[in-house]
Amino acid sequence: MKKMLITLFCLSVGWSWSQTGTLKGKVIDKQSEKPLESAQIALLNVQGFETTTDANGSFVLSGVPLGRQMLTVQALGYASVTLPNLEITAGKELILTIPLTEQLTTLNEVVVKSETSKGRALNKMAAVSARQFTVEEVNRYAGGRSDVARLVANFAGVSAANDSRNDIVVRGNSPAGMLWRIEGVPVPSPNHFATLGTTGSPVSALNPNMLANSDFLTSAFPAEYGNAISGVFDLNFRKGNADRYEFMAGVGAYPGAEFVAEGPMGKKGGSFLVAARYGIAGYLGGAGTGAAIPNYNDVSFHLDFGKLASGSWSLFGIGGLSNINFLGKDATDEDLFSAKDANQYVDSQFAVLGISHKIYIGTQTFWKTTLAWATSGNRYEEERIYNLNTPNALTLPFTLNDNQDQRYTVSSFINSKVNKKTTLKAGILGEYFSLDYSLDDRNRQPDANLDGYPDLNRIYLSKGNYQVIQPYAQVQYRFTNKLTLNAGIHGQYFSINKQGVVEPRAALTFAVNPRHSLNFGYGMHHQNVPAPILFQNSQVAGQTEQPNQHLDLVRSQHWVLGYDVKLAPQWRGKIELYYQAIDRAAVERFPSSYSSLTEGADFGYSTDKINLVSQGRGYNAGVEFTLEKFFSKGYHALITTSLFESKYRGSDGLWYNSPFNNRYVVNVLGGKEFKVGANQKNTLSFDGKVTTSGGRFYTPVDLVASQQAGYEITQDDKAYSLQYEAYFRLDLRVGYKFNSTKKKQSHLIYLEVQNVTDNNNIFISRYNRVTNQVNRVDQIGRFPDFGYRFQF
């Protein structure tokens, strides 16, 4: 370690001369997205770096000193913006898109304001429970594993006390309530090893190197978002560099081996961006799967065809493959996920392909249409070896689960800035789903044929299609520079139960003064019961039926009250109070503790819930605190605290804890950078993160009944009455970035230790048929992560 530090210091001295970087981008009107000409661009605290935008709203600053810089953008008649924490490196040009908001009063001169917009959502209609995040944060925060889902777990309202999965639990809701969007269209779970209907997995298939600044929303969404009741991940792919070719090669424990290429394409200002990764975490022991090695790889691309006479066209895509085999010969008696008498084979795939077109109709209105195809699938096969290690050993198929679906999506909307006060956005989203689901299982099945083994029965089989249609219209009306109303109507039609709903949405923001603001939001949202529940089979008079298809859309109503305060030039505080009422959840016809609101906590769904009714209820209530120091003066900090209660009611009329009711979550993050080298061009950084939360609630196991049956039976009359112990994790990270003087190249080396204290956080407590006892499995203990990236 000492030799490595000496080597890095020598490299910093040898390569830190007068190398500089380039910062460029485009300034646009936030409401109409039209380019702004003659906007003034300047670096703060660095003399001589000023320019103005051209007719296309574009600007370039060359020869910018390396390191963190702060940019101010001003335009006549617009509120100015200051962007801190812009990292300039030698190996890559920094490209920005900067939206400005037009002032309602006419200004005789540009007034400089030290305002930052980082805490605000990119979506101009999102006024409450929303914030943007950057790819720089994904790569900087300790414990992030290059996973955007783990990044947002640092934000208030999100609970992710799980080292093994990246499920996003928002304000006590099931992760199945999430909506994922890429380039404006809904997509299946963008994860490796994802299973039918789930939204999380051990490894993300999203490459953060592909992402532009994006939004994360936790309630009372604007009218354009639908078929979700917990949160929205609205992701945008960035464009490649349209002026020069750039490359990145790297390796890390969790992202694996990766390569990124980008550069100009065509003669109309177009560009390409392509990225590929191959996972290596399993070979390093960071997958938490024992002897089983997970294999996963993914590729993503974004092609921008530039400014054409027919408008702007782009093509984007992402695809991922993953598989893992759990073989009985490698299992131990204590393993809850594999056994010596079973072989398990898991395969999954995910892909999205889309094309977008945007054209201006006049100067203040544009029309954007996106067509997309997406597919996801997972196949699970288990064979059970009966009478193991005896002459009568017999291998039989135990579980055959094959789920494949495809969706075809069209999204089309018109955005019009009517005047300074009014902006309208209206459109329609249509999705056509084609599915092929099947599950054959011996688990918990009788021995009707009396051969001595549980029968292999068909649990569900469904081939067909359905449609989801979502029209919407929303308006932003700015009464004054201080008071803004965002309101809209969202509609949703679900073809399976032929149900249509209309959902009002509204949010009001009032800037009391430049430092203090209040906001209030309300939204009604609906979502269909997860597909694995809708398509379960039931045998009635010898006929196969799927009685759950009549279930209503689950309804959720959100109320949010927020207060923002600017404590100092780069310090921000925020408090949000919220209440979420849920009804029309699926519950059983007879009195029981079951509710569809509890689904989505594991790799699969219940397979024995048939003939359900839409009479379940639930609620989530809480308060969230955020204290954030945006990166400046060499350091950053983020403290978030969530205090909440999450409950649901089954058909027995009793209220139970939700399995996602951690009750509290606290995150403390911070980091410090030091400029090093002969000319202070290189960076030595230290980052840390502490997370603690209440444990999840779980249902106790009926051990005697489980021992008699040979599989787990829980005490459902005591559903989620016990709570795991509190979760705690400390992550530390050190990084070194240095820049070449001879070429446009930069290098980053980082070393991270996750779960420094080696805390034994529980993953699950479950009946083990091998030991015939209730055993416990802990999450991944202390694990060293590392990475190297070379940009050129």
Side-chain angles (χ1 to χ4, degrees):
M1 183 66 181
K2 181 178 179 181
K3 291 182 178 179
M4 184 179 74
L5 291 175
I6 294 174
T7 301
L8 293 178
F9 178 77
C10 294
L11 286 171
S12 72
V13 173
W15 289 356
S16 297
W17 296 92
S18 57
Q19 183 68 27
T20 58
T22 300
L23 191 160
K24 61 185 180 182
K26 178 178 288 189
V27 180
I28 62 173
D29 179 287
K30 185 170 185 177
Q31 276 65 40
S32 68
E33 299 188 15
K34 73 171 184 178
L36 294 181
E37 185 178 5
S38 301
Q40 299 178 14
I41 313 295
L43 289 183
L44 295 181
N45 305 322
V46 181
Q47 298 294 325
F49 289 92
E50 300 177 355
T51 188
T52 58
T53 57
D54 60 18
N56 296 317
S58 301
F59 69 91
V60 177
L61 288 175
S62 301
V64 178
L66 302 179
R68 306 277 181 178
Q69 301 295 347
M70 186 177 296
L71 188 75
T72 181
V73 185
Q74 309 170 48
L76 186 64
Y78 286 80
S80 62
V81 170
T82 298
L83 286 79
N85 188 32
L86 300 178
E87 187 175 20
I88 310 300
T89 66
K92 172 149 185 46
E93 297 181 346
L94 181 59
I95 306 172
L96 305 172
T97 298
I98 307 169
L100 299 184
T101 301
E102 189 173 9
Q103 297 279 50
L104 297 183
T105 56
T106 302
L107 302 178
N108 294 323
E109 60 181 6
V110 174
V111 179
V112 178
K113 299 179 181 179
S114 295
E115 298 292 339
T116 60
S117 60
K118 180 174 180 304
R120 307 294 183 183
L122 292 172
N123 189 321
K124 52 185 172 287
M125 301 288 184
V128 297
S129 301
R131 65 163 292 161
Q132 66 171 293
F133 65 91
T134 68
V135 64
E136 191 271 339
E137 291 175 299
V138 180
N139 292 325
R140 170 162 46 93
Y141 286 161
R145 299 185 185 176
S146 296
D147 186 341
V148 294
R150 296 185 187 276
L151 164 70
V152 300
N154 299 314
F155 301 157
V158 184
S159 173
N162 192 332
D163 299 338
S164 303
R165 288 175 61 87
N166 63 1
D167 296 288
I168 303 173
V169 176
V170 177
R171 295 178 172 177
N173 286 283
S174 165
M178 282 291 302
L179 168 66
W180 288 87
R181 298 207 324 179
I182 296 178
E183 287 294 302
V185 294
V187 298
S189 171
N191 288 289
H192 295 296
F193 305 104
T195 52
L196 174 63
T198 62
T199 61
S201 82
V203 184
S204 173
L206 281 169
N207 191 329
N209 296 295
M210 292 291 300
L211 299 180
N213 287 10
S214 301
D215 283 343
F216 181 70
L217 304 90
T218 55
S219 72
F221 324 129
E224 66 187 88
Y225 303 110
N227 206 22
I229 62 173
S230 71
V232 176
F233 227 137
D234 197 0
L235 300 164
N236 301 305
F237 280 176
R238 67 181 179 88
K239 296 180 180 180
N241 194 328
D243 298 318
R244 65 183 295 264
Y245 295 102
E246 295 179 333
F247 305 92
M248 190 279 284
V251 63
Y254 285 101
E258 54 184 341
F259 183 76
V260 181
E262 60 184 287
M265 183 181 71
K267 300 180 180 180
K268 300 292 184 179
S271 65
F272 73 90
L273 173 63
V274 181
R277 303 187 300 181
Y278 181 80
I280 62 172
Y283 299 98
L284 303 174
T289 56
I293 302 297
N295 301 299
Y296 56 92
N297 52 80
D298 51 69
V299 62
S300 308
F301 68 90
H302 188 202
L303 308 180
D304 175 55
F305 296 94
K307 295 185 64 176
L308 306 176
S310 58
S312 300
W313 294 85
S314 64
L315 184 69
F316 62 92
I318 176 175
L321 297 172
S322 53
N323 67 81
I324 186 171
N325 297 330
F326 297 91
L327 302 181
K329 64 182 182 62
D330 300 322
T332 63
D333 290 343
E334 294 74 25
D335 196 334
L336 295 186
F337 302 99
S338 61
K340 293 180 178 179
D341 63 350
N343 296 318
Q344 304 168 71
Y345 309 93
V346 182
D347 292 272
S348 67
Q349 64 274 347
F350 158 78
V352 176
L353 179 64
I355 184 169
S356 290
H357 173 249
K358 179 179 177 181
I359 188 169
Y360 273 87
I361 306 170
T363 59
Q364 303 292 335
T365 302
F366 68 86
W367 178 19
K368 185 174 182 179
T369 299
T370 302
L371 303 176
W373 164 83
T375 183
S376 64
N378 63 278
R379 182 176 178 84
Y380 174 81
E381 297 183 34
E382 179 180 341
E383 54 188 22
R384 188 70 58 85
I385 308 171
Y386 291 94
N387 307 313
L388 181 67
N389 298 326
T390 71
N392 298 321
L394 176 65
T395 300
L396 294 175
F398 188 81
T399 302
L400 300 173
N401 189 4
D402 193 0
N403 301 308
Q404 308 291 327
D405 64 33
Q406 299 186 65
R407 71 173 79 178
Y408 302 86
T409 305
V410 56
S411 170
S412 187
F413 69 86
I414 291 178
N415 186 97
S416 178
K417 182 179 179 181
V418 180
N419 52 46
K420 292 182 180 181
K421 291 189 172 184
T422 308
T423 302
L424 298 173
K425 185 176 183 179
I428 188 169
L429 175 72
E431 296 177 280
Y432 177 89
F433 292 81
S434 176
L435 56 91
D436 187 352
Y437 299 160
S438 67
L439 171 61
D440 298 293
D441 208 345
R442 297 183 191 269
N443 187 39
R444 306 191 182 192
Q445 300 303 306
D447 180 16
N449 59 9
L450 302 178
D451 65 352
Y453 307 102
D455 295 337
L456 184 66
N457 287 331
R458 175 64 47 85
I459 306 302
Y460 59 75
L461 173 65
S462 182
K463 293 184 179 181
N465 57 75
Y466 64 93
Q467 300 82 43
V468 179
I469 301 174
Q470 302 176 67
Y472 63 89
Q474 53 193 9
V475 60
Q476 180 183 84
Y477 185 78
R478 303 168 62 211
F479 295 95
T480 67
N481 286 328
K482 295 184 176 182
L483 183 63
T484 301
L485 171 68
N486 295 295
I489 293 290
H490 179 272
Q492 184 168 327
Y493 173 77
F494 190 52
S495 69
I496 290 181
N497 60 8
K498 296 180 172 54
Q499 182 182 4
V501 294
V502 177
E503 306 166 339
R505 317 276 179 88
L508 191 66
T509 301
F510 176 61
V512 180
N513 57 46
R515 293 183 56 212
H516 303 268
S517 66
L518 297 170
N519 53 67
F520 171 77
Y522 167 79
M524 180 185 291
H525 311 274
H526 290 79
Q527 185 181 37
N528 61 269
V529 172
I533 304 298
L534 288 177
F535 296 112
Q536 287 193 17
N537 288 351
S538 175
Q539 298 297 322
V540 179
Q543 299 294 319
T544 300
E545 298 182 358
Q546 294 179 329
N548 290 342
Q549 291 194 17
H550 72 282
L551 291 171
D552 290 342
L553 298 174
V554 179
R555 182 172 65 179
S556 172
Q557 299 187 73
H558 299 252
W559 290 267
V560 184
L561 178 63
Y563 166 65
D564 281 84
V565 58
K566 183 179 179 182
L567 300 169
Q570 299 301 328
W571 285 88
R572 168 183 176 248
K574 183 178 182 180
I575 300 175
E576 276 199 347
L577 296 167
Y578 67 88
Y579 182 81
Q580 179 186 6
I582 305 173
D583 62 354
R584 303 178 185 174
V587 295
E588 294 182 292
R589 288 184 180 273
F590 57 87
S592 81
S593 61
Y594 172 77
S595 171
S596 62
L597 299 179
T598 66
E599 299 282 3
D602 207 340
F603 285 93
Y605 284 80
S606 301
T607 59
D608 58 350
K609 304 303 179 184
I610 57 176
N611 207 16
L612 302 177
V613 293
S614 300
Q615 298 177 2
R617 297 180 60 188
Y619 73 84
N620 300 302
V623 58
E624 299 167 358
F625 305 89
T626 299
L627 177 63
E628 185 166 14
K629 162 64 168 59
F630 300 120
F631 204 110
S632 65
K633 298 182 179 179
Y635 74 100
H636 71 95
L638 175 65
I639 301 173
T640 61
T641 301
S642 305
L643 306 174
F644 63 97
E645 193 76 46
S646 178
K647 300 276 191 176
Y648 78 92
R649 190 178 73 180
S651 58
D652 57 6
L654 302 178
W655 286 93
Y656 298 91
N657 290 297
S658 160
F660 315 103
N661 188 21
N662 299 86
R663 290 187 170 168
Y664 72 90
V665 181
V666 179
N667 294 292
V668 180
L669 297 88
K672 174 67 176 177
E673 288 188 356
F674 299 91
K675 294 182 178 180
V676 296
N679 291 297
Q680 305 289 288
K681 302 297 184 183
N682 304 318
T683 303
L684 178 65
S685 62
F686 297 90
D687 288 273
K689 173 186 174 182
V690 175
T691 296
T692 184
S693 72
R696 286 192 176 182
F697 282 88
Y698 67 99
T699 302
V701 174
D702 187 331
L703 180 58
V704 174
S706 299
Q707 290 173 336
Q708 293 174 348
Y711 52 79
E712 183 177 87
I713 296 178
T714 55
Q715 301 178 46
D716 292 341
D717 59 330
K718 299 178 181 179
Y720 305 106
S721 58
L722 301 181
Q723 187 179 20
Y724 292 135
E725 58 263 33
Y727 175 91
F728 178 86
R729 176 169 150 175
L730 168 65
D731 300 325
L732 296 176
R733 173 184 174 123
V734 58
Y736 195 92
K737 179 175 290 185
F738 46 93
N739 299 277
S740 170
T741 59
K742 299 180 180 180
K743 298 180 180 180
K744 288 186 175 296
Q745 299 176 352
S746 65
H747 305 257
L748 170 65
I749 297 176
Y750 67 86
L751 175 65
E752 180 174 307
V753 180
Q754 300 177 2
N755 194 1
V756 173
T757 60
D758 201 22
N759 203 59
N760 292 325
N761 294 307
I762 187 170
F763 178 60
I764 198 169
S765 177
R766 179 183 291 177
Y767 171 71
N768 187 336
R769 63 180 178 81
V770 176
T771 64
N772 217 22
Q773 297 294 322
V774 174
N775 292 149
R776 161 184 171 142
V777 172
D778 287 333
Q779 301 190 41
I780 299 173
R782 184 187 298 115
F783 180 74
D785 188 8
F786 68 92
Y788 168 73
R789 293 192 182 113
F790 175 39
Q791 291 183 322
F792 57 102

